[in-house]
Amino acid sequence: FGDTIQNITNLVSGTNYIMDPVGYFHPGTISGMVFIDSNNNNVRDGAESAGVAGINVDLLTSTGVLMSSQLTNGSGQYSFPNLHALGYILDFATPENYGYVVPNVGPSDTNSDVIASSGYTDILEVVSNSIFDNIDAGLILQNADLTLTKFADRTTPLVGD
């Protein structure tokens, strides 16, 4: 990978023809960010563009083989560059008390691409020079389970109780 290699073929005496080699592959990239959807509208907007740092993102092949892992940076962003032609899936770690928003609501540059029930993306097919630059994961705060129990510590109630 790197600079394109060109073949110079001398077809006619004294004249050079430049030809690109057939099948030269340009590596692909998958990148995006993790954000908290604080207004629960299933897209990243307003102050939600800050992102969430420290979320683990796994890059898997479409058959489930782990290829790479990384944590989101201080802006909630991640990037997997220099990918070979293959089908890939991203697996986003789910922080405690959070879930994922409904995927694919709104424009692709502000929506979430994570399947809410699993934390995975659909298969992303990388071909030569593929750039998937908005594979985002939107998080929402889940309602915590809360149980209240009322009891009296006096045997005789006070007036007004």
Side-chain angles (χ1 to χ4, degrees), residues 35 37 40-44 101-114:
F35 65 95
D37 182 16
N40 296 325
N41 68 349
N42 298 308
V43 294
R44 177 174 39 89
V101 301
V102 176
N104 303 313
V105 174
S108 65
D109 62 335
T110 60
N111 72 9
S112 180
D113 301 287
V114 175

Side-chain angles (χ1 to χ4, degrees), residues 64-152:
V65 176
L66 179 64
M67 300 297 290
S68 184
S69 292
Q70 62 178 258
L71 296 176
T72 55
N73 67 17
S75 299
Q77 299 177 351
Y78 70 90
S79 182
F80 295 101
N82 300 316
L83 299 176
H84 298 284
L86 200 59
Y88 295 96
I89 297 171
L90 298 178
D91 178 12
F92 292 84
T94 308
E96 188 174 343
N97 298 322
Y98 284 87
Y100 290 99
V101 301
V102 176
N104 303 313
V105 174
S108 65
D109 62 335
T110 60
N111 72 9
S112 180
D113 301 287
V114 175
I115 301 165
S117 61
S118 68
Y120 291 92
T121 61
D122 287 328
I123 296 172
L124 305 165
E125 290 291 341
V126 171
V127 295
S128 185
N129 209 31
S130 291
I131 299 175
F132 294 94
D133 60 355
N134 287 308
I135 308 301
D136 299 336
L139 296 168
I140 54 172
L141 185 61
Q142 299 289 311
N143 292 330
D145 292 332
L146 178 63
T147 304
L148 298 176
T149 305
K150 184 178 179 180
F151 66 94

Side-chain angles (χ1 to χ4, degrees), residues 8-33:
I8 299 176
T9 306
N10 192 3
L11 297 176
V12 178
S13 180
T15 305
N16 292 325
Y17 296 89
I18 299 174
M19 303 174 67
D20 287 329
V22 175
Y24 183 78
F25 179 82
H26 298 271
T29 299
I30 298 174
S31 62
M33 74 178 300

